[in-house]
């Protein structure tokens, strides 16, 4: 940080900012990581630097507890992700993350429509299937959740989060037999004490 603050040369300053962004990300301080990656992206002005800044703002957004801060971080992630999609509209990872930032906005349906667009482009996109399954549970659409999560598990049987959420969907839909069986399966798959 000292080198970054004392350097007047723009390229060196951007390189230091990029390094600081990585250090902060590794330390789990995502809002600082995002800020420094934005500093670097303003100099480098490349798809890769925009994506890094967007990803760091997205990480900060997902960990923010305050609604006002969440919206601010989501807005910054959207800014960078839209730049990326302007150059590489087929980047489904970015589109998935962008969609999730809209869920805390005034227009959450925009995010859901984007996730559906991702699945229209790639019916096997695990992230979109998982996100739509999770959102279906949150909105009480348990049959939709079960369908999405079963599709995902068919593609990737080792997706432990999908396996766990499927149990939750069964439980919430009232199918206690399937829920119990699913939770037992998850316990067999992952011996982590928090999962147990």
């Amino acid at each position: 940080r000292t080198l970054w603050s004392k350097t007047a040369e723009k390229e060196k300053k951007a390189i230091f900012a990029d390094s600081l962004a990585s250090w902060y990300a590794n330390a789990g301080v995502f809002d600082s990581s995002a800020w420094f990656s934005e500093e670097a992206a303003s100099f480098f002005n490349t798809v890769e630097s925009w994506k890094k800044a967007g990803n760091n703002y997205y990480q900060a957004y997902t960990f923010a507890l305050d609604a006002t801060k969440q919206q601010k971080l989501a807005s910054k992630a959207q800014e960078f992700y839209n730049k990326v999609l302007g150059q590489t509209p087929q980047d489904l990872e970015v589109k998935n993350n962008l969609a999730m930032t809209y869920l805390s906005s005034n227009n959450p349906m925009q995010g859901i429509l984007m996730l559906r667009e991702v699945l229209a482009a790639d019916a096997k996109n695990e992230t979109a299937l998982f996100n739509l399954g999770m959102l279906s549970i949150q909105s009480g659409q348990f049959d939709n959740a079960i369908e999405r999560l079963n599709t995902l598990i068919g593609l990737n049987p080792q997706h432990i989060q999908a396996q766990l959420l499927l149990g939750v969907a069964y439980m919430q839909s009232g199918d206690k037999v399937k829920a119990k069986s699913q939770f037992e399966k998850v316990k067999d798959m992952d011996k982590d004490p928090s999962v147990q």
Side-chain angles (χ1 to χ4, degrees), residues 110-130:
Q110 183 177 359
I112 292 167
L113 293 174
M114 285 184 111
L115 290 172
R116 289 180 183 160
E117 286 174 20
V118 170
L119 284 181
D122 175 12
K124 296 180 178 183
N125 188 286
E126 292 184 20
T127 306
L129 286 166
F130 179 78

Side-chain angles (χ1 to χ4, degrees), residues 15-68:
I15 291 168
F16 286 135
D18 188 54
S19 295
L20 285 165
S22 297
W23 278 83
Y24 277 115
N26 290 336
V29 185
F30 297 110
D31 49 354
S32 294
S33 176
W35 190 87
F36 279 107
S37 60
E38 180 177 5
E39 286 289 299
S42 67
F43 175 81
F44 294 121
N45 211 24
T46 62
V47 171
E48 294 78 24
S49 66
W50 299 334
K51 188 172 181 177
K52 185 174 183 177
N55 286 342
N56 286 333
Y57 272 113
Y58 180 72
Q59 284 292 334
Y61 156 76
T62 61
F63 285 102
L65 299 176
D66 175 65
T68 305

Side-chain angles (χ1 to χ4, degrees), residues 48-118:
E48 294 78 24
S49 66
W50 299 334
K51 188 172 181 177
K52 185 174 183 177
N55 286 342
N56 286 333
Y57 272 113
Y58 180 72
Q59 284 292 334
Y61 156 76
T62 61
F63 285 102
L65 299 176
D66 175 65
T68 305
K69 187 173 184 178
Q70 232 184 12
Q71 290 209 330
K72 217 184 252 186
L73 295 166
S75 177
K76 290 300 268 181
Q78 290 164 8
E79 176 188 329
F80 286 103
Y81 282 154
N82 281 319
K83 282 183 166 188
V84 172
L85 291 175
Q87 298 294 312
T88 57
Q90 71 285 359
D91 191 327
L92 299 182
E93 176 196 344
V94 166
K95 204 167 204 178
N96 262 310
N97 290 354
L98 178 60
M100 296 304 285
T101 66
Y102 285 114
L103 298 178
S104 64
S105 73
N106 295 334
N107 190 6
M109 197 61 199
Q110 183 177 359
I112 292 167
L113 293 174
M114 285 184 111
L115 290 172
R116 289 180 183 160
E117 286 174 20
V118 170

Side-chain angles (χ1 to χ4, degrees), residues 129-181:
L129 286 166
F130 179 78
N131 286 337
L132 283 169
M134 178 184 60
L135 293 170
S136 294
I137 288 173
Q138 289 174 353
S139 62
Q141 300 173 40
F142 305 116
D143 290 340
N144 286 344
I146 290 166
E147 180 185 339
R148 299 276 191 209
L149 294 167
N150 271 318
T151 301
L152 172 52
I153 290 166
L155 297 168
N156 181 0
Q158 300 306 310
H159 198 297
I160 195 73
Q161 291 172 307
Q163 295 278 7
L164 182 60
L165 266 188
L166 181 58
V168 171
Y170 283 136
M171 185 177 70
Q172 294 294 327
S173 71
D175 193 337
K176 292 181 180 177
V177 173
K178 282 188 179 176
K180 183 177 180 183
S181 172

